[in-house]
Amino acid sequence: MAIAALTSSPAHAAGGAVPTLVAEIGASLLFAGGLAVVFARLGIPSIAAFILAGVALGPIGLEVITDPGNIEAIAQIGFVLLLFVIGLEIDMPRILASGRTLLLAGFLQFPLTLLFGMLFTKLLMLLGIGGLLTEAPLSPLYVGIAISVSSSLLVVKLFQEHFQLDTRPGQISLIILIFQDIWAIVVTLVQPSLSNPDVIAILSSFMGIGLLIIVAALLSRLIATRAFDWIAKKPELILLGAISWCFAIVALGTSFDGLTHMLGVDMKLAVGSGMAALIAGATIASSPYSVEIVTKVGLVKDFFVTLFFVGLGMSIPALTSWEVPLLACLVAVLALLARQFVFFPVFYFLGIDQRSAQVSSIQLAQISEFSLVIMFLGLELQHISQEFAAVVILAFVITAVLTTPLFENAYHIYDAIKGTLHKLGFREPGGEEEESGHETILGMLGIHRDASSFLEELSRHQPELLKHTSIVDFNVALHPSIRELGAHVVYGDISNEEALLHAKIDRARIVLCSIPDDLLRGIDTVALVKLVRHVNPGATIIANAIHISDWQKLREAGADIVYMPHLEVAKTILDAFNHAYDQEIEIYEAQQIERFGIPASRHEIMD
């Protein structure tokens, strides 16, 4: 009855009934929200709930949505805002600063995975598996595209929840996801020409994009930046200003053909709404207001993106055979295989250590929501059938459900298969042998923010100790910088007794365990202290504690000194507050410079 009331016809509007459009949006949000709550309780990603809501409300379900075009039209707004937010998060300085290894990995991973997917799909077709694949000549290409991109939405959320964005796998995954999004945008650019490739049309499109980037950048500097400065003190206007900027650039990009025609030039320079929205976001990404814009636009975007996925669910046809779910399972398996046979070798052979390469590959083992966007556009262009789109959508749901357990167990999976990787020739990088005659005074287990700053302090005040310092750490990207300081570093697992012995931790006078439990994998600080005490009974052990209750546990485990960073930070904040309260800011700044030096002069390993 409630659904019937919601979907009353516009003819009854005067009697208090809800207009059809509003009723159908309301029904979509009601179903999507209700299912999302259930799915969250079960640990299943909410996108799967939105898609299922579309199936339930669509033509093969309850037929509550009588005009899917209503939802699809609004979903297009979600598509534009989604790409606008992606553009806002493309930090080019950060990408360029990520190093040659990650730049090459981001550049090569997508085309190699695309090729892997196409070849595998063609093999299935030759074997007569999957009749749906033979219905459209572009099926292998679309399968390759689908498995080449991982889900930024799911992966970044998990990294944030587990406080792992600052880890080596977190940094690798983030850069790869950014590159994948850029590759996916390029795909949407050339997608209209896939069935009938036209080099001139593609080049014209790229010219249009280049022109829009130049114009948008100029307008951003001349107009947008000043406009945001004017409204900065009125947060309620930030959202309106951001969306206005987005759709202004979209309107400009999509009108290029008309503008060139008015100038008497017959060139197809129009830029699609998605690409124009991405450019709009990217041109203000470096603005000081970008974080605020992402936060506010993200809330509105989520509303429209929900309807986008509901619309995708409505496009799934009734299953008349087991072929669609079976093919979906095959595509999901293919996506997982691609991470092992493409992602991992690419990362490894470009110089990323074996552990980080494998863990990152496992944590990126899902099909992206961006792939669904590409399938949606493929349906509109009649490149693929609804049945084929359903295959990719179901494969996305399967890999999305597997994402959390794979993410959380990535390190355990690596530990289980690293022996096999060694046999296949994927070796761990070796550390330098310690020079004979050098006493190991300090042993350090892992390098992160605290340890990085500590090494900088050592180099400033007690540099002679660095040549007597031995470090065990997984992040080989930091090893050259550590060796430049004069310290000895060994690649290894700090939870492995053999690695500690190899690094001469058993001979160290003092052992520092500074990695917090939030970042440790496979061991906690208490167990690590016990291991160190077993390896080196006579060492003085300094350990890090996150919780007050950990202090006693660490002392009982064998730690001689337990420090708690949050208590140290609290004292620092109190000191800063007191100076601010007494209006002694200049005195505080002078004291900070005296203690730590000018920040720009510090050369920390992790900056």
Side-chain angles (χ1 to χ4, degrees):
M1 292 294 292
I3 294 174
L6 270 176
T7 55
S8 299
S9 68
H12 296 94
V18 179
T20 303
L21 176 60
V22 177
E24 292 184 349
I25 292 175
S28 298
L29 295 175
L30 175 63
F31 266 70
L35 287 172
V37 171
V38 176
F39 277 37
R41 184 68 180 87
L42 298 174
I44 301 174
S46 57
I47 294 177
F50 304 156
I51 292 172
L52 182 58
V55 173
L57 296 171
I60 67 171
L62 301 174
E63 298 184 353
V64 172
I65 306 299
T66 57
D67 185 4
N70 285 338
I71 304 300
E72 290 173 6
I74 295 174
Q76 288 283 0
I77 301 176
F79 171 64
V80 169
L81 293 178
L82 175 64
L83 295 183
F84 179 57
V85 172
I86 289 173
L88 282 166
E89 294 175 341
I90 294 178
D91 188 346
M92 288 308 299
R94 181 174 185 174
I95 294 173
L96 295 175
S98 61
R100 182 176 61 88
T101 294
L102 288 182
L103 289 175
L104 282 173
F107 182 77
L108 292 175
Q109 171 269 313
F110 181 91
L112 290 176
T113 310
L114 174 62
L115 180 61
F116 175 81
M118 290 179 65
L119 293 176
F120 199 95
T121 306
K122 285 184 178 293
L123 177 61
L124 291 178
M125 294 168 65
L126 287 173
L127 295 174
I129 300 174
L132 283 176
L133 300 175
T134 61
E135 292 178 2
L138 292 175
S139 294
L141 179 61
Y142 273 91
V143 170
I145 292 170
I147 68 168
S148 298
V149 188
S150 304
S151 174
S152 301
L153 195 66
L154 299 178
V155 176
V156 173
K157 181 173 180 287
L158 285 169
F159 271 118
Q160 290 171 336
E161 289 176 353
H162 291 78
F163 304 101
Q164 292 184 29
L165 269 178
D166 221 12
T167 63
R168 180 63 171 163
Q171 294 169 347
I172 293 167
S173 298
L174 190 60
I175 295 299
I176 296 301
L177 287 168
I178 292 172
F179 268 97
Q180 287 178 347
D181 286 346
I182 294 172
W183 274 112
I185 289 296
V186 173
V187 169
T188 61
L189 173 65
V190 301
Q191 201 171 356
S193 303
L194 288 178
S195 57
N196 185 24
D198 185 342
V199 176
I200 294 177
I202 293 174
L203 290 176
S204 296
S205 297
F206 276 104
M207 287 177 62
I209 289 172
L211 179 61
L212 185 60
I213 290 173
I214 294 170
V215 173
L218 288 173
L219 292 176
S220 171
R221 178 166 296 185
L222 296 173
I223 298 176
T225 302
R226 293 181 182 179
F228 282 116
D229 286 340
W230 294 339
I231 64 175
K233 295 183 180 179
K234 296 184 178 180
E236 68 277 7
L237 294 180
I238 291 286
L239 173 61
L240 179 60
I243 293 179
S244 298
W245 170 253
C246 172
F247 283 98
I249 299 302
V250 168
L252 178 62
T254 54
S255 66
F256 271 179
D257 283 355
L259 293 174
T260 55
H261 183 71
M262 290 173 58
L263 296 172
V265 180
D266 188 18
M267 291 185 69
K268 302 294 183 182
L269 298 178
V271 179
S273 58
M275 176 58 77
L278 184 87
I279 292 170
T283 50
I284 59 172
S286 59
S287 162
Y289 312 109
S290 60
V291 174
E292 181 72 8
I293 293 171
V294 169
T295 302
K296 293 188 177 298
V297 175
L299 297 174
V300 179
K301 176 211 69 178
D302 290 342
F303 167 79
F304 289 104
V305 168
T306 298
L307 295 179
F308 173 79
F309 288 113
V310 170
L312 276 179
M314 287 190 293
S315 69
I316 296 178
L319 300 180
T320 56
S321 71
W322 287 100
E323 186 177 15
V324 169
L326 287 176
L327 268 179
C329 291
L330 276 176
V331 172
V333 170
L334 182 58
L336 298 178
L337 290 176
R339 272 60 184 171
Q340 294 303 309
F341 291 103
V342 182
F343 283 48
F344 171 66
V346 166
F347 297 165
Y348 177 84
F349 287 116
L350 286 175
I352 296 172
D353 64 273
Q354 183 205 84
R355 179 179 186 256
S356 297
Q358 184 58 249
V359 168
S360 300
S361 300
I362 294 170
Q363 292 177 331
L364 290 171
Q366 67 287 132
I367 290 174
S368 171
E369 61 279 354
F370 223 139
S371 297
L372 303 188
V373 171
I374 292 171
M375 295 305 129
F376 173 75
L377 296 175
L379 270 176
E380 287 191 336
L381 296 166
Q382 298 182 341
H383 290 169
I384 57 176
S385 64
Q386 284 192 323
E387 289 78 10
F388 181 85
V391 167
V392 177
I393 293 170
L394 290 176
F396 164 81
V397 172
I398 294 169
T399 56
V401 171
L402 292 174
T403 291
T404 299
L406 285 174
F407 186 97
E408 294 177 345
N409 293 285
Y411 291 91
H412 298 300
I413 295 171
Y414 166 74
D415 289 336
I417 65 175
K418 66 180 179 182
T420 303
L421 295 175
H422 290 165
K423 292 176 182 177
L424 293 173
F426 295 101
R427 304 294 180 188
E428 295 177 342
E432 296 175 345
E433 292 298 326
E434 181 134 11
E435 297 177 15
S436 60
H438 278 255
E439 178 189 10
T440 301
I441 296 176
L442 172 63
M444 296 177 62
L445 306 188
I447 293 291
H448 199 60
R449 299 289 178 190
D450 291 355
S452 171
S453 295
F454 170 67
L455 284 175
E456 172 66 10
E457 293 300 316
L458 268 187
S459 69
R460 284 170 174 264
H461 304 292
Q462 295 169 275
E464 69 282 355
L465 281 178
L466 287 170
K467 64 181 179 181
H468 300 291
T469 298
S470 186
I471 301 168
V472 184
D473 188 69
F474 261 126
N475 191 349
V476 292
L478 300 179
H479 291 193
S481 298
I482 294 172
R483 292 185 181 116
E484 284 179 10
L485 291 175
H488 173 66
V489 62
V490 171
Y491 173 89
D493 184 351
I494 61 175
S495 66
N496 185 289
E497 183 175 338
E498 290 298 322
L500 301 189
L501 294 173
H502 179 63
K504 308 297 189 292
I505 299 300
D506 59 320
R507 304 179 191 179
R509 286 166 49 186
I510 301 170
V511 179
L512 173 62
C513 311
S514 65
I515 305 295
D517 280 342
D518 288 341
L519 298 177
L520 287 174
R521 292 294 168 265
I523 196 170
D524 60 18
T525 307
V526 171
L528 188 58
V529 167
K530 289 179 180 178
L531 176 61
V532 173
R533 182 57 70 203
H534 168 72
V535 168
N536 190 340
T540 298
I541 302 175
I542 304 172
N544 175 318
I546 294 179
H547 305 290
I548 300 294
S549 59
D550 292 337
W551 186 90
Q552 186 62 34
K553 295 176 184 176
L554 287 167
R555 291 302 306 272
E556 292 172 356
D560 298 285
I561 298 175
V562 179
Y563 74 96
M564 294 182 234
H566 62 286
L567 298 185
E568 303 294 335
V569 171
K571 294 287 287 184
T572 300
I573 295 174
L574 179 62
D575 184 39
F577 167 78
N578 286 331
H579 279 84
Y581 186 78
D582 296 332
Q583 297 185 352
E584 297 176 345
I585 296 174
E586 293 79 6
I587 295 175
Y588 178 78
E589 289 180 344
Q591 291 175 351
Q592 291 293 93
I593 291 173
E594 183 180 353
R595 291 178 65 193
F596 307 117
I598 299 172
S601 70
R602 294 179 67 88
H603 303 289
E604 297 204 8
I605 295 167
M606 295 189 71
D607 188 2

